[in-house]
């Protein structure tokens, strides 16, 4: 077989963890290729809601090797906490099962300090980052000053590299932000101990992925965040700092495009966004609260990583069609269709009004998008409980019309639909080979 790319087709938080878990059941390798612990994937197993942040969401399928790819920035402190938690639930993330690419970058305490200082200095113009150091870590990587994971195998060299990171950070904190310096000795001691723990997990993961491809096995490349947060093709500067689109799979895992044969875009039946930036279909009324939920349930619209309430709005088909194009989506998996039950009519955005003229393309330029007003088409809603549906035939006609509108507008078939958080609440619409 080959590589399946699982991509967020909106602003992230589309429910990729739920789908990754299903796909991982038939995969030999499940790999994260971008981002860091700013991502959060949720899986509901029975009555237990499990959240992953660095480890791929396929961690509970014990036949799969979990890979943290070269395109990631890895916070070892967060990784230690996550591995301990997941192992306590039966994930068995030993060095044989969890592999860290030697070329992956390490996210260190100075990156977190700089991220917070940057956001505080921007004030009202803050991007709305998770303040977990992702941007500064990628900045240091691109400046060729980053600390690669491979150095964990060389304790003395690693200690010197971490100390150098702290010294560079302290120069900036004290000079540019009037912030107190970080304790270099404490950071070095903590991270040398963490490096000793995770050095046995180091591997050439590109070689592992290619070996699996040559054996005809399935590799699942699990994306973090969403298409519209891509550093190049998203709503810059209100984006993340990595390549979230399908092309990022090739960069972050070291595989050629010909090996990526399926590109699955996960999209919610409505939209949500965390942090700053333009959001044309955003709502600020009772409908927004209804789509968001109260936070009482693990699947409500609150960040898996930060707990922040998400901004919510109607489905934006213009943005989804853009995501389909730049990712080359071969199929869409639609999640949270059940949340729309009881809303009638259901508006969907089919164009924008920009300076009093209609436009039908998605402008990734944030300054233009911020001036766009949604043009809606209204579809009929439904009252029936669809959370028990096991096939498209079990859906009311209005729900099927909603799916057809998405397919006809984007030109991409919907392969699967999720009508609830459980593994059993996902069913096939068009044959795709997910199982």
């Amino acid at each position: 077989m080959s590589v399946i790319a699982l991509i967020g087709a909106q602003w992230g938080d589309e429910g990729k963890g739920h789908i990754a878990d299903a796909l991982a059941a038939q995969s030999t390798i499940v790999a994260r290729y971008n981002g860091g612990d700013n991502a959060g994937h949720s899986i509901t197993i029975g009555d237990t809601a499990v959240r992953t942040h660095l480890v791929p969401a396929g961690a509970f399928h014990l036949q799969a090797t979990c890979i943290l790819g070269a395109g990631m920035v890895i916070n070892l402190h967060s990784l230690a906490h996550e591995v301990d938690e997941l192992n306590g639930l039966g994930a068995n993330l030993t060095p044989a099962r969890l592999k860290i690419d030697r070329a992956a970058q390490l996210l260190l305490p100075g990156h977190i300090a700089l991220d917070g200082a940057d956001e505080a200095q921007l004030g009202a113009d803050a991007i709305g980052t998770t303040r977990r150091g992702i941007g500064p870590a990628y900045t240091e990587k691109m400046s060729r000053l980053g600390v690669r994971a491979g150095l964990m195998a060389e304790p003395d060299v690693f200690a010197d590299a971490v100390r150098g990171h702290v010294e560079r950070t302290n120069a900036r904190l004290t000079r540019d932000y009037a912030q107190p310096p970080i304790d270099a000795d404490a950071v070095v001691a903590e991270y040398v101990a963490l490096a000793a723990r995770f050095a046995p997990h180091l591997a050439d993961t590109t070689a592992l992925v290619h070996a699996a491809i040559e054996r005809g096995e399935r590799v699942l490349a699990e994306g973090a965040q969403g298409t519209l947060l891509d550093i190049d093709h998203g709503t810059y500067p209100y984006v993340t700092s990595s390549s979230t689109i399908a092309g990022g799979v090739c960069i972050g895992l070291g595989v050629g495009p010909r090996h990526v044969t399926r590109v699955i875009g996960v999209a919610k039946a409505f939209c949500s966004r965390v942090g700053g930036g333009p959001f044309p279909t955003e709502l600020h009324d009772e409908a927004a609260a209804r789509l968001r939920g109260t936070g009482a349930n693990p699947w409500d619209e609150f960040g898996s990583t930060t707990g922040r309430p998400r901004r919510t709005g109607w489905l934006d088909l213009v943005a989804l069609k853009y995501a389909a194009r730049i990712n080359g989506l071969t199929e869409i998996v639609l999640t949270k269709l059940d949340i729309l039950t009881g809303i009638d009519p259901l508006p969907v955005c089919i164009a924008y009004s920009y300076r009093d003229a209609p436009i039908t393309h998605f402008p990734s330029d944030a300054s233009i998008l911020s001036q766009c007003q949604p043009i809606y088409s209204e579809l009929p809603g439904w009252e029936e409980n669809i959370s028990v549906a096991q096939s498209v035939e079990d859906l009311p006609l209005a729900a099927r019309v909603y799916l057809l509108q998405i397919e006809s507008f984007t030109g991409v078939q919907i392969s699967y639909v999720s009508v609830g958080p459980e593994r059993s609440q996902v069913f096939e619409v068009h044959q795709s080979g997910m199982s």
Side-chain angles (χ1 to χ4, degrees):
M1 296 181 76
S2 53
V3 179
I4 298 174
L6 185 69
I7 307 296
Q10 294 161 319
W11 277 284
D13 307 311
E14 301 94 349
K16 293 182 292 300
H18 190 28
I19 307 305
D21 177 58
L23 288 165
Q26 301 298 323
S27 301
T28 300
I29 288 176
V30 184
R32 272 280 305 274
Y33 63 86
N34 75 303
D37 63 346
N38 58 330
H41 291 166
S42 299
I43 313 163
T44 301
I45 303 173
D47 295 329
T48 303
V50 179
R51 289 182 172 88
T52 65
H53 302 281
L54 287 163
V55 177
F60 290 94
H61 295 280
L62 300 185
Q63 88 290 343
T65 299
C66 296
I67 283 177
L68 307 186
M72 291 185 67
V73 290
I74 300 169
N75 182 331
L76 293 178
H77 183 81
S78 294
L79 182 61
H81 176 78
E82 185 171 337
V83 167
D84 289 344
E85 181 179 22
L86 297 180
N87 281 345
L89 295 170
N92 193 32
L93 294 168
T94 64
R97 274 209 72 217
L98 177 65
K99 303 292 185 182
I100 301 173
D101 196 274
R102 293 177 179 275
Q105 295 283 318
L106 297 185
L107 190 154
L108 299 166
H111 300 133
I112 298 170
L114 289 171
D115 196 0
D118 282 338
E119 285 287 275
Q121 189 175 76
L122 287 169
D125 295 323
I127 293 169
T129 76
T130 58
R131 299 195 180 208
R132 289 179 176 249
I134 306 299
Y138 277 110
T139 297
E140 200 163 58
K141 170 183 177 177
M142 293 304 180
S143 298
R144 300 181 296 278
L145 295 170
V147 179
R148 277 186 159 192
L151 290 183
M152 293 192 297
E154 304 177 60
D156 292 340
V157 178
F158 179 78
D160 288 343
V162 172
R163 189 173 295 277
H165 156 79
V166 175
E167 290 172 352
R168 287 191 301 274
T169 299
N170 284 342
R172 288 196 60 198
L173 285 174
T174 56
R175 181 189 67 234
D176 299 338
Y177 301 103
Q179 295 287 327
I182 297 170
D183 185 334
D185 291 337
V187 170
V188 170
E190 178 185 11
Y191 278 78
V192 165
L194 287 167
R197 173 178 177 177
F198 286 109
H201 293 262
L202 291 171
D204 179 352
T205 66
T206 298
L208 295 177
V209 168
H210 280 276
I213 292 171
E214 290 166 6
R215 291 192 299 266
E217 297 168 352
R218 174 187 281 181
V219 175
L220 174 61
E222 179 185 314
Q225 290 88 38
T227 294
L228 304 179
L229 297 181
D230 184 84
I231 185 66
D232 295 304
H233 301 284
T235 54
Y236 189 91
Y238 300 97
V239 294
T240 193
S241 300
S242 62
S243 296
T244 63
I245 62 173
V249 173
C250 302
I251 297 167
L253 295 183
V255 297
R258 70 185 179 91
H259 293 302
V260 182
T261 57
R262 287 175 65 192
V263 184
I264 303 171
V266 184
K268 271 194 293 225
F270 53 97
C271 285
S272 71
R273 181 169 192 171
V274 172
F279 182 2
T281 64
E282 182 175 12
L283 298 168
H284 301 279
D285 54 12
E286 291 182 5
R290 178 167 182 167
L291 294 174
R292 184 180 301 113
T294 63
N297 303 305
W299 54 86
D300 287 343
E301 294 298 323
F302 292 79
S304 296
T305 297
T306 64
R308 290 183 293 179
R310 295 171 185 151
R311 302 156 62 192
T312 54
W314 301 123
L315 180 62
D316 188 336
L317 290 177
V318 180
L320 187 55
K321 185 172 184 177
Y322 172 76
R325 286 177 169 175
I326 65 172
N327 286 298
L329 296 185
T330 58
E331 60 200 84
I332 291 172
V333 172
L334 193 74
T335 64
K336 291 200 168 185
L337 185 64
D338 55 303
I339 300 299
L340 299 183
T341 297
I343 301 174
D344 188 15
L346 284 169
V348 294
C349 176
I350 57 170
Y352 302 137
S353 174
Y354 173 64
R355 295 183 177 177
D356 298 322
I359 60 172
T360 57
H361 67 278
F362 180 82
S364 58
D365 186 319
S367 64
I368 296 176
L369 189 63
S370 64
Q371 300 176 62
C372 289
Q373 298 299 316
I375 298 173
Y376 289 114
S377 172
E378 290 189 340
L379 300 176
W382 61 89
E383 295 292 336
E384 296 90 334
N385 175 18
I386 65 170
S387 65
V388 295
Q390 293 293 302
S391 70
V392 70
E393 289 77 19
D394 293 337
L395 296 176
L397 178 60
R400 281 181 269 168
V401 168
Y402 198 80
L403 302 185
L404 287 171
Q405 173 75 345
I406 294 170
E407 290 183 330
S408 62
F409 195 97
T410 62
V412 182
Q413 284 191 331
I414 295 172
S415 58
Y416 278 77
V417 167
S418 166
V419 291
E422 300 286 349
R423 284 173 167 175
S424 61
Q425 292 177 292
V426 180
F427 59 82
E428 191 172 38
V429 178
H430 295 290
Q431 187 171 6
S432 67
M434 179 179 285
S435 59

